[in-house]
Amino acid sequence: MTALGRALPERVVTNDEIAQTLDTSDEWIRTRTGIRERRMAAPGESTVDLAVAAGREALGDSSVDAVVLATSTADQLCPASAPQVAARLGLGTAAAFDVNAVCSGFVYALATAQGFIAGGIAKRVLVIGADVFTSLVDPTDRTTVPIFGDGAGAVVLRAGDSNEPGAIGPFDLHSEGELADLLWVEAGGSKHRFSEDPRDHHLVMQGTAVFRHACARMAESSRAVLEQAGWMVGDVDRFVGHQANIRILQATAKHLGLPADAVVANIDRVGNTSAASIPLALADAVDDGTLVPGHRVLLTAFGAGLTWGSTLLTWPELG
């Protein structure tokens, strides 16, 4: 990992604003999720727009051979959004495609990019996590509206030595499709193509079950990747989990035996940004000094699918 970028919509939506239209309150949202505000894309502001902005910041004056975009809110069902991102970034005919593992997407995209580099397909890869997840939320649903926000985060990976700071891996990736209905949007695909009921086009979430599975699976995957790397739990300086709920982050860290001050969290300011959450959390942690070169970092995520995965790196000096 050699560079980091991010993009957030300008509009800030506070808990008090949500409470004006839904039966909820700032206290209720904060105590149950840890969120006090989130960003919402403006009308016409899309996943590609945010991905381009984050990618441009990560790239600077450099270029890449491939773009891997983790998103579940592509600008359209077909074609993928990544080629549009690559074109707008001036990357010519670079390989570009989307990865949809929802909230686990960024970890899956990192693994995909690492495979491209290890296989000699590319020397440098731009990995972006971007979602406008508020586009999938039912505006009358008090259980999902407070949770989700929009944003994008990006990193650049290059070929290098597996022992140098910034080297990504190993990876632990899994799925459990039998539980897809715990978190899903029914209409819009090949099975349920169209629906006159707008509720079919909105996210449905069984929150209690998702909470339980997220804690268990992220802890399990984290242990697996630590074992692969030969790291002990005590070797981890920073724990950067998918920013779904502060209680999930805290419970997973507790399951692993990590101290509270190892947990990196920015969910209070941006909410759950799906595939963008981990790179956005990394960027904020760098800014506030929570994350510095030499820190040993555990990344883990859980999302719809169900999907989950983890990886490790020693934080580098970014260019």
Side-chain angles (χ1 to χ4, degrees), residues 22-36:
L22 295 176
D23 181 19
T24 189
S25 68
D26 172 63
E27 181 183 9
W28 192 93
I29 297 169
R30 280 189 295 103
T31 57
R32 286 161 177 79
T33 68
I35 302 168
R36 55 183 173 83

Side-chain angles (χ1 to χ4, degrees), residues 241-304:
H242 166 55
Q243 308 286 302
N245 183 305
I246 191 62
R247 295 191 298 167
I248 290 176
L249 291 171
Q250 292 169 342
T252 304
K254 185 176 180 180
H255 283 325
L256 291 169
L258 288 167
D261 61 5
V263 178
V264 171
N266 70 343
I267 190 172
D268 61 318
R269 301 183 296 279
V270 298
N272 179 346
T273 55
S274 193
S277 77
I278 286 178
L280 285 174
L282 291 172
D284 279 356
V286 169
D287 280 355
D288 66 21
T290 301
L291 183 59
V292 299
H295 272 160
R296 292 156 296 186
V297 184
L298 167 61
L299 309 180
T300 187
F302 176 91

Side-chain angles (χ1 to χ4, degrees), residues 36 85 104-105 117 119 154 186 196-197 209 211 214 218 256 266 280:
R36 55 183 173 83
V85 173
S104 304
I117 293 171
E186 184 172 26
E196 295 183 357
D197 188 342
F211 187 107
M218 287 199 296
L256 291 169
N266 70 343
L280 285 174

